[in-house]
Amino acid sequence: MVVPELRPWRAARPHVARAANAVRPLLARAAGTVRPPLERAANAARPRLQRALAVARPRLARARRAVGPRLAALRAPRPRSVRTWQYTAGATTLGLVLASGVVTVAGPWDANGQRTAERDRAVALERTGGADHGRNADTSGSSDTTAGAPRPAPSAASVLVGLGGSTNTVKSAPNGPALADVLGPLLGDPALAGHRTAAVVDVATGRRLYGTGADDALTPASTTKIATAVAALSAMGGDHRLTTRTALEPDTGELVLVGGGDPTLTAHKDAQGWASLRDLAVATAKALKKRGLSKVTLSYDTTLYTGPGLHPIGVNDNLAPVSALMADEGRTDDSVSGPATRVADPAADAAAKFAGFLGARGIRMTSPGPSKATTRAQSLAAVSSPPLSALVERMLTNSDNDIAEALARQTAVATGGRASFDGGADAIAAELKKLGLPLRGARFHDGSGLNRDDRLTANLLTALLAKAGAPAHPELRPILTGLPVAGFTGTLTGRYTDGAAGVVRAKTGTLTGVNTLAGTVVDQDGRLLAFAFLASDTTSPAAAQSALDRTATALAACGCR
């Protein structure tokens, strides 16, 4: 799989090499010119430096003897405490160094969030198979494109080891009383007035280290996406792909654009590694011309999903009507994340764009309308999404509601349920139950967390994160790699810039009166901790968000033993 972030470097590499080769002789000549004067200056200065050192040595010795007792007192053991207001911007650099050290213990990571080990394992296995791995016959690739279909990307191996098991650089986990001393006052911030709950778990052992109201179910907002991701990866695996195809009805000559539920299908000229509606049109036009067809009746099939497409929140810039066929999430601008005005009918919009691409290839057609491909329809061409692991990472990093609702429905399809809002919610709960996760009090009504009737506990959220880090469940690893990185990526890009940047990785959640945060931190002793903080009935979103950020920062700064 090509990493999009590496493409600019690959394109620039020849130019960089030529520039380096051109400048190398100049640098060599410059070095040859400068070296003799530098050597003469060094030889001249050496006696002066030696005399100065001889004069200073007695003074340094006296200073060392005078300061020695004070240094010993500073080195003496003392109770550890944390003042979060002292955890300043210096933590950014220190945190990144610490995080990279712990990551080295846990396994190699790439810049785009995917583990090097996962990629190496995919190459080593060299598995072949259809783009959708035979799960849905309605969205399988055509015989015309099977040879060029993308190989599945196998799930990760067990590379995330317990952080206390194989290294002497990681100390014991924090203890409850010490954590309570640090977190209790911060969670008591008036900005979190109302109901607030919290839990902290040691990922290596799964043991809860701290909890307050951890079993109380509150509105989780977008942290619901963590549950959606776990269910989808558990049901389908990280190598599963979503396929959009075209099919030709042999009797009527009707061309059907069949939606496979891929919310990342794009009509943009630069697909950036996602499935391209333009590419599908090119391949379809070629297949039609091979059959001597230049005029067709165009229709589109969205029957993979059922039930209403409009979320109970109504028309909203945060989510398009859910459809098995859409391009660029029905956005009316060039954005790829965040709120944006959406089209009223994503399927009709995608079909109209597809018709335009076909027309540019010399195919004439009727205006597209809804239909359903029969079992006798002959597949002509297909395009597939990146692996589900990549979709999960994009969903979590950008808090993408459209991907979340698609994955809820895909989980229902994979488990034989009804692909609707209710069916997707039921499928998520059922899949989490199979994994033995603590569901007491939990209620699901969608996959995105936009529904205010959703309920999750801090205990469940930390259990989901710990499960994602368990060696027994490598298929869930994209949940940890997809979490936004404080100060750097996704919904945390502008947060923690003066705190635990690079150390906190967390999913945010915000609705009116609701602020949540759930993710992982590496504490000062090198332990990987999962945490969940939920607050309801908040009155100031900005103040509540800051309070939660301070709490996560304190957890990262804590060596609470």
Side-chain angles (χ1 to χ4, degrees):
M1 178 180 174
V2 177
V3 179
E5 287 83 348
L6 296 182
R7 285 178 178 151
W9 163 244
R10 287 173 176 166
R13 183 164 50 192
H15 305 290
V16 174
R18 285 196 296 272
N21 291 332
V23 80
R24 190 177 291 114
L26 301 176
L27 291 174
R29 287 197 297 272
T33 302
V34 172
R35 187 180 295 113
L38 288 177
E39 290 177 346
R40 288 195 298 271
N43 291 332
R46 187 175 292 112
R48 299 177 187 176
L49 292 173
Q50 290 174 343
R51 288 195 298 270
L53 180 61
V55 171
R57 186 176 292 115
R59 300 177 184 177
L60 291 173
R62 288 195 297 272
R64 185 169 59 250
R65 287 193 297 271
V67 173
R70 301 180 186 179
L71 291 176
L74 290 173
R75 286 195 297 265
R78 64 181 59 192
R80 303 184 65 175
S81 62
V82 176
R83 294 183 178 181
T84 58
W85 56 86
Q86 294 176 342
Y87 195 67
T88 60
T92 300
T93 302
L94 178 60
L96 287 173
V97 172
L98 178 59
S100 63
V102 174
V103 162
T104 300
V105 175
W109 299 48
D110 289 335
N112 74 330
Q114 289 290 334
R115 292 175 178 276
T116 302
E118 294 177 5
R119 184 187 64 237
D120 293 345
R121 181 170 182 263
V123 173
L125 288 179
E126 294 184 347
R127 285 168 45 191
T128 59
D132 65 351
H133 310 290
R135 284 184 171 85
N136 297 308
D138 288 345
T139 60
S140 61
S142 71
S143 58
D144 290 350
T145 59
T146 299
R151 288 179 177 177
S155 300
S158 300
V159 294
L160 188 62
V161 298
L163 295 184
S166 60
T167 174
N168 56 13
T169 63
V170 178
K171 300 178 183 179
S172 60
N175 65 56
L179 278 176
D181 290 343
V182 171
L183 301 182
L186 293 167
L187 290 169
D189 191 307
L192 303 178
H195 199 171
R196 81 288 305 272
T197 67
V200 178
V201 167
D202 179 17
V203 172
T205 64
R207 182 170 65 90
R208 186 197 291 181
L209 307 176
Y210 172 80
T212 177
D215 296 316
D216 296 344
L218 300 183
T219 303
S222 278
T223 55
T224 301
K225 293 181 176 72
I226 298 174
T228 302
V230 168
L233 289 168
S234 176
M236 293 175 279
D239 57 336
H240 183 63
R241 299 175 190 262
L242 309 180
T243 300
T244 307
R245 67 184 179 103
T246 53
L248 183 66
E249 296 290 355
D251 299 329
T252 63
E254 178 188 10
L255 177 66
V256 186
L257 175 61
V258 183
D262 179 8
T264 62
L265 179 71
T266 180
H268 292 159
K269 189 172 183 179
D270 182 3
Q272 298 186 345
W274 306 99
S276 170
L277 194 62
R278 293 172 184 261
D279 290 349
L280 182 60
V282 170
T284 300
K286 182 179 179 180
L288 287 171
K289 290 177 181 179
K290 280 185 178 181
R291 290 166 170 77
L293 297 173
S294 60
K295 183 178 181 180
V296 294
T297 298
L298 180 61
S299 60
Y300 55 92
D301 182 350
T302 63
T303 58
L304 181 65
Y305 293 169
T306 60
L310 191 63
H311 192 281
I313 61 173
V315 176
N316 194 288
D317 287 351
N318 289 298
L319 177 67
V322 182
S323 173
L325 176 64
M326 61 169 54
D328 301 304
E329 300 179 339
R331 295 172 180 269
T332 56
D333 56 20
D334 292 331
S335 65
V336 296
S337 65
T341 302
R342 312 304 181 96
V343 298
D345 189 340
D349 172 70
K353 291 175 179 175
F354 181 74
F357 300 147
L358 272 183
R361 290 286 168 171
I363 303 297
R364 293 178 296 159
M365 72 219 77
T366 61
S367 296
S371 183
K372 176 177 172 57
T374 68
T375 56
R376 298 181 66 247
Q378 301 168 354
S379 290
L380 296 184
V383 291
S384 295
S385 72
L388 183 61
S389 57
L391 271 62
V392 164
E393 287 192 323
R394 175 171 164 176
M395 174 188 72
L396 294 174
T397 298
N398 296 332
S399 196
D400 193 302
N401 298 304
D402 299 275
I403 296 178
E405 295 304 343
L407 294 190
R409 280 168 164 75
Q410 292 289 341
T411 302
V413 171
T415 55
R418 179 176 169 84
S420 61
F421 280 110
D422 290 340
D426 291 342
I428 292 171
E431 202 63 29
L432 300 187
K433 184 177 181 180
K434 288 180 184 177
L435 291 171
L437 290 159
L439 292 176
R440 182 178 178 181
R443 297 205 305 269
F444 297 95
H445 294 277
D446 63 5
S448 62
L450 289 172
N451 195 315
R452 301 182 67 88
D453 290 332
D454 290 335
R455 293 290 184 273
L456 293 183
T457 65
N459 186 32
L460 174 57
L461 284 168
T462 51
L464 289 164
L465 294 165
K467 185 73 72 173
H473 290 281
E475 75 280 3
L476 303 181
R477 207 73 74 242
I479 291 154
L480 298 185
T481 59
L483 292 173
V485 180
F488 289 92
T489 62
T491 55
L492 290 186
T493 299
R495 293 167 63 169
Y496 297 91
T497 53
D498 60 348
V503 181
V504 173
R505 301 178 67 111
K507 181 71 202 72
T508 58
T510 306
L511 293 171
T512 302
V514 174
N515 293 88
T516 60
L517 191 69
T520 64
V521 299
V522 179
D523 73 2
Q524 291 292 293
D525 289 330
R527 300 294 298 194
L528 182 63
L529 308 178
F531 68 89
F533 307 138
L534 297 89
S536 61
D537 301 323
T538 58
T539 57
S540 170
Q545 174 180 294
S546 296
L548 294 180
D549 287 352
R550 285 192 296 271
T551 307
T553 295
L555 184 60
C558 189
C560 304
R561 299 194 312 277

Coordinates of all heavy atoms in Angstrom, one line a residue, residues 1 8 34 43 73 75 136 141 213 226 247 270 318 334 348 425-426:
M1 N 0.8 -1.2 0.0 CA 0.0 0.0 0.0 C 0.9 1.2 0.0 O 1.8 1.3 0.8 CB -0.9 0.0 1.2 CG -1.8 1.3 1.3 SD -2.8 1.2 2.8 CE -3.5 2.8 2.7
P8 N 5.1 13.0 -2.0 CA 5.9 14.2 -2.3 C 7.4 13.9 -2.2 O 8.2 14.4 -3.0 CB 5.5 15.2 -1.2 CG 4.1 14.8 -0.8 CD 4.2 13.3 -0.9
V34 N 39.2 26.1 4.3 CA 39.1 26.6 5.6 C 39.9 25.8 6.6 O 40.3 26.3 7.7 CB 37.6 26.5 6.0 CG1 37.4 26.8 7.5 CG2 36.8 27.5 5.2
N43 N 45.9 25.5 17.2 CA 47.2 25.3 17.8 C 47.7 26.6 18.6 O 48.3 26.4 19.7 CB 48.3 25.1 16.7 CG 48.0 23.7 16.0 OD1 47.5 22.8 16.7 ND2 48.4 23.6 14.8
A73 N 20.9 16.4 49.1 CA 19.5 16.6 49.6 C 18.5 16.6 48.5 O 17.4 16.0 48.7 CB 19.5 17.9 50.4
R75 N 18.8 14.9 45.8 CA 18.6 13.5 45.3 C 17.9 12.6 46.2 O 17.5 11.5 45.8 CB 20.0 13.0 45.0 CG 20.7 13.5 43.7 CD 21.8 12.6 43.3 NE 22.9 12.6 44.3 CZ 24.0 13.4 44.3 NH1 24.1 14.2 43.3 NH2 24.9 13.3 45.3
N136 N -19.6 -10.1 0.6 CA -20.8 -9.6 0.0 C -20.8 -9.8 -1.5 O -20.0 -9.1 -2.2 CB -21.0 -8.1 0.3 CG -21.1 -7.8 1.7 OD1 -21.9 -8.4 2.4 ND2 -20.3 -6.9 2.3
G141 N -15.8 -7.6 -7.0 CA -15.1 -7.1 -8.2 C -15.5 -7.9 -9.5 O -15.9 -9.0 -9.4
G213 N -17.0 7.1 39.5 CA -18.3 6.9 38.7 C -18.0 6.2 37.4 O -18.8 6.4 36.4
I226 N -15.0 5.1 19.1 CA -14.1 4.0 19.5 C -14.8 2.7 19.6 O -14.3 1.6 19.1 CB -13.5 4.3 20.9 CG1 -12.7 5.6 20.9 CG2 -12.6 3.2 21.4 CD1 -12.2 6.1 22.2
A247 N -22.4 -2.7 -13.2 CA -22.9 -4.0 -13.7 C -23.9 -3.7 -14.9 O -24.6 -2.7 -14.9 CB -23.7 -4.7 -12.6
D270 N -7.5 14.2 -8.0 CA -6.4 13.5 -7.3 C -7.1 12.7 -6.2 O -7.5 13.3 -5.1 CB -5.4 14.5 -6.7 CG -4.3 13.9 -6.0 OD1 -4.2 12.6 -5.9 OD2 -3.4 14.6 -5.4
N318 N -22.6 18.3 9.8 CA -21.6 17.3 10.4 C -21.8 15.9 9.8 O -21.1 15.0 10.1 CB -21.7 17.2 11.9 CG -21.1 18.4 12.5 OD1 -20.0 18.7 12.4 ND2 -22.0 19.2 13.3
D334 N -14.6 21.5 -1.4 CA -13.5 20.6 -1.6 C -12.9 20.1 -0.3 O -11.8 19.5 -0.3 CB -12.4 21.4 -2.4 CG -12.8 21.7 -3.8 OD1 -13.5 20.9 -4.4 OD2 -12.3 22.7 -4.4
A348 N -27.8 10.3 -5.7 CA -28.1 10.9 -7.0 C -26.9 11.9 -7.4 O -26.6 11.9 -8.6 CB -29.4 11.7 -6.9
A425 N -26.5 -0.1 15.3 CA -26.3 0.0 16.7 C -26.4 -1.3 17.4 O -25.6 -1.7 18.3 CB -27.4 1.0 17.3
D426 N -27.4 -2.2 17.0 CA -27.5 -3.5 17.6 C -26.3 -4.3 17.2 O -25.8 -5.1 18.1 CB -28.8 -4.2 17.0 CG -30.1 -3.6 17.5 OD1 -30.0 -2.8 18.5 OD2 -31.1 -3.8 16.9

